[in-house]
Structure formats: structure tokens, C-alpha cells
Amino acid sequence: MPPFTRRHEVVTAIDPSQLQPGLFIRLPSGWMAHPFLFNQFRIHDQAQVDILRGLGLKSILYLPERSSAQPLPRSASPTASSPATPARPSTEQLAALAEKRLQAERVAHQRKLIARCEKHYQSAAQQIRDVMRNLFAASERSVVGARELVDEVVGAFADDAGMILHLMGEKVADDNAYFHALNVMILSLMLGRSAGLSPDELRLLGEGALFHDIGKARVPDAVLRNPQRNRHEEEFFRLHTVYGAEMARDLGVLPPAVIDIILSHHETVDGKGYPNHLGEARLSRAARIVAITNRYDNLCNPLQHDKAVTPAEAMTLMFKSEHMHWDADLLQRFVRLLGIYPPGSMVQLSNGNLGLVVAVDHTRLLRPTVMIFDPAVPRSEALIVDLASEPDVKVDAVVRPAEADPAALEYLAPRRRLSYFHGQPE
């Protein structure tokens, strides 16, 4: 079994004199008490051994199952073991500590960026609640509010700098519909920008994505929330696209391009979608974009949470098994946009640590930002590492939740509802 599947690992205390490259070790919980980025890692060279021996530790925890070497025989010489009083820091230690301070600054910056995105997401969720609740009682005002929200997001895309897609792990809205509308809008606008849509086209796309499911207001909850719909119930459910287009026309303030997205967001390029089986030639590019992002978010965030698939599984399903349904160019762009390891993916790093991908930058897809599982560190203080700044550490594999240690699942919460927001590197 790979290391991340082990439920009860053996942990042994060894003397620092027994250290050598290949041992997987675990250090005391104080992150600033040592110069290394991670509290647990596999030793990869003699320089790390020398630094570890100079920390003044009486013993170091060693994990045999994650190690590629055996501890050295314990030295009988007192000088070979850790001294009672740590020696004067070596040049290597001082350099490592200086790097650790830089790492701490990078972690603080990443936390600040994610906190800012979280704040913006909460504000956007509140705006969507207000828009949807007043859509028909005050249609013009509500649509103006929606356009302001879309304009704000489109405006953020004006800079050509690499956009970052952030995972928002906590539920900050009161209803699934608000989450879904915001997710689909964010993902659609990012995909539309990648596809080269103009600012005006992006605004129409954003409005259509935001309002794409308004027709569900005419479908009873007993049908919407029934995972075992019979044929007649499924036909009723599928009418939400038609109802939505009718409701949008009745508002009298939404442009035809927006109404088309609402009507066609379940159409597919192979003509097997609904309600009109249009096929690629008769589908607008905007409708094709929302079809992809809507499907992705529905896979990751279904009404029945136990039916959710991981982001990586959703991407694999759409790319390998459903590719005939989606515009090929847009689907490839979507994969490149979210990355090989989409936000919300649980991953094993090359140093043996488990983490949750919390952000990706489409300019460096193999180097996501990861929240690290460390039971010695409270989750609220979990280490957040931008792998672009750590060339010695990479993602080795995507981990299915069923394969992971229960403690890691609780800590990283990879099945928590996934919501997305965008940010820009500074």
C-alpha cells in the first residue's frame, strides 16, 4: 500500500547520531523551533542531517514505513549524540533559519490572500442572495445588482497577470442555489476569459451563468431533490430550462444572449442535451461554456453530498468519459485553467506529507498551493505552502478520500462543499 493509506504507522524515537538520508522523520511541533519548512519529511542529503544533529534534540521520531533507508547504528560517543546544550549555529543552520523566515513571510502572505478572497466571496454570496430574493419583486434593481457583481469580477480580469483560483472550503451562503450560481459564474468567467471573450461578451456570459437556474423556482422540491426521479419527474425537472427562459423574458430587462444561456445550459455539442437537442452548430459559445462549468460544479457539489466526487475525479470523468458532450477546445482550456490538481484535491507530496490543494495558478499548473496535514498543528494554523516557491517538493499523487487516514480527512476536510473565487498574484 502507498504511504497515505496506512492507518496505524509505527513511529520510533531514534538518537540524532542514527540519522542518514532516506529516513522519514517527524520533528517537535513548534514550527519555528527548527529551520525546515515541514515538521515531517524525508531527509534527502547530508546537509540536512548535519542541521538536524545541531538542533540539540535528545531524540527524533522516525517512521519506518515512509523511509527508504534504515537508521545508522547508535554511536557510543557522547559527542556524536545531541549535546545537552546546542552548539553555536553553523553557517548552514543560519542560512536555513534565514530561509525559514522567508518561508514564514510567504505563508503569511498566502493566508492574507486567501482571507481577502474569503471576504470577497462572502460579499458576493450576499449580493446573490439579495438579487435572487428580489428578482421579481424589484426586477430592474435586482438585475442592476447582478450586473454590478459581474462587472466587478470582469474588471478583475482586466490585468493579464496569472489568475489564481482559490478554494473556499466553508459554507458562507444559506442555500445551495446561491453557492452553485456563484461557482458557475466565477468558473464561467474564468473560462470565458481564457477563450478570449471581450469584456462585453464576458458581462453577458456572467449574467447568464448567474441566472442559469432561475427556472428551478417553478419545479417542486420533491422533484428537485429526488435522486431517483422517474421518467415523468425527470421530464418535469428538465423543463427548468424552459421555465427559466420564460421567466427571464417576463422580466423584460435581460438581453437575448442571457436568455439563450438560461435556455441552453444543459445542451451538448453532440445533440444529446436538452431541451432542444441543438448540437454544436446551433449552440452559442457562451452556452457551451456554462454547460461545462455547470456540469463540473454539479459533480463536485451535488444536492446529496455523499454522491460528490473529488475535483480530480470530476475532471477525469468529463475529459475521458463525457468528452463527446463538450466543446473540445473549451474543455481543454478548462482542464488547463483548473490544473492537473484542481482546488479541493487531496494530494500526497514527494516528501510524504498529505495536503489539500487550496489554489491553482494556470501559469504553473504542476505547482499548486497546498494546505498541509500536520496533527501537531491546529487546523486554524495549518501550514499553507505555495509549491512554486519550494522546488524540492512536488505533488506525487492525487489521493482518494477513501484511501486516506481518517485523521487527515477530518483535518483537511476534502469532501466539504467546494466553492471557488478568483484572486491575482501580487
Side-chain angles (χ1 to χ4, degrees), residues 377-405:
V377 177
R379 188 183 188 277
S380 61
E381 302 173 12
L383 180 64
I384 297 173
V385 179
D386 182 352
L387 296 183
S389 303
E390 305 301 331
D392 292 335
V393 182
K394 63 183 181 66
V395 175
D396 267 356
V398 174
V399 180
R400 289 181 55 85
E403 298 172 327
D405 188 303

Side-chain angles (χ1 to χ4, degrees), residues 190-196 285 292 315 319 327-339 362 365:
M190 295 190 78
L191 180 53
R193 177 183 182 272
S194 172
R285 184 161 55 164
I292 288 172
M315 196 66 73
F319 193 76
D327 180 296
D329 174 67
L330 291 173
L331 183 59
Q332 289 175 356
R333 289 179 182 277
F334 193 57
V335 172
R336 290 197 296 270
L337 186 68
L338 267 67
H362 71 83
L365 293 179

Side-chain angles (χ1 to χ4, degrees), residues 14 18-26 41-49 52 61-72 350-352:
I14 60 174
Q18 297 178 267
L19 295 173
Q20 71 163 326
L23 296 184
F24 192 98
I25 55 108
R26 182 175 295 163
F41 57 93
R42 185 176 293 110
I43 302 171
H44 65 77
D45 58 29
Q46 187 60 40
Q48 288 186 333
V49 171
L52 287 165
L61 296 178
Y62 145 69
L63 286 71
E65 295 179 70
R66 298 196 189 191
S67 298
S68 58
Q70 296 292 322
L72 297 172
S350 57
N351 63 1

Side-chain angles (χ1 to χ4, degrees), residues 143-282:
V143 171
V144 167
R147 286 173 178 162
E148 289 175 350
L149 175 59
V150 172
D151 282 346
E152 180 183 341
V153 179
V154 171
F157 294 160
D159 194 338
D160 286 334
M163 298 301 297
I164 299 175
L165 186 63
H166 283 275
L167 169 70
M168 301 289 106
E170 299 289 347
K171 186 171 184 179
V172 295
D174 298 331
D175 190 276
N176 292 331
Y178 305 141
F179 268 103
H180 180 62
L182 184 51
N183 283 350
V184 173
M185 184 191 77
I186 292 294
L187 294 172
S188 294
L189 287 174
M190 295 190 78
L191 180 53
R193 177 183 182 272
S194 172
L197 269 62
S198 70
D200 287 341
E201 290 173 320
L202 286 174
R203 290 183 180 94
L204 293 172
L205 171 65
E207 285 184 45
L210 191 58
F211 292 126
H212 76 279
D213 268 346
I214 59 172
K216 287 183 177 180
R218 291 188 182 175
V219 180
D221 272 357
V223 174
L224 282 178
R225 299 181 180 279
N226 181 6
Q228 305 294 331
R229 289 189 287 264
N230 60 35
R231 181 171 61 85
H232 299 292
E233 290 170 330
E234 181 62 25
E235 289 174 356
F236 192 0
F237 170 80
R238 293 186 175 198
L239 284 174
H240 79 270
T241 56
V242 177
Y243 294 151
E246 292 174 352
M247 294 162 69
R249 291 189 193 98
D250 290 343
L251 287 173
V253 290
L254 292 177
V258 172
I259 297 171
D260 175 70
I261 293 171
I262 296 171
L263 178 66
S264 304
H265 70 274
H266 279 288
E267 298 283 2
T268 57
V269 297
D270 60 0
K272 295 183 179 180
Y274 63 87
N276 296 314
H277 313 291
L278 294 181
E280 183 171 10
R282 298 167 62 195

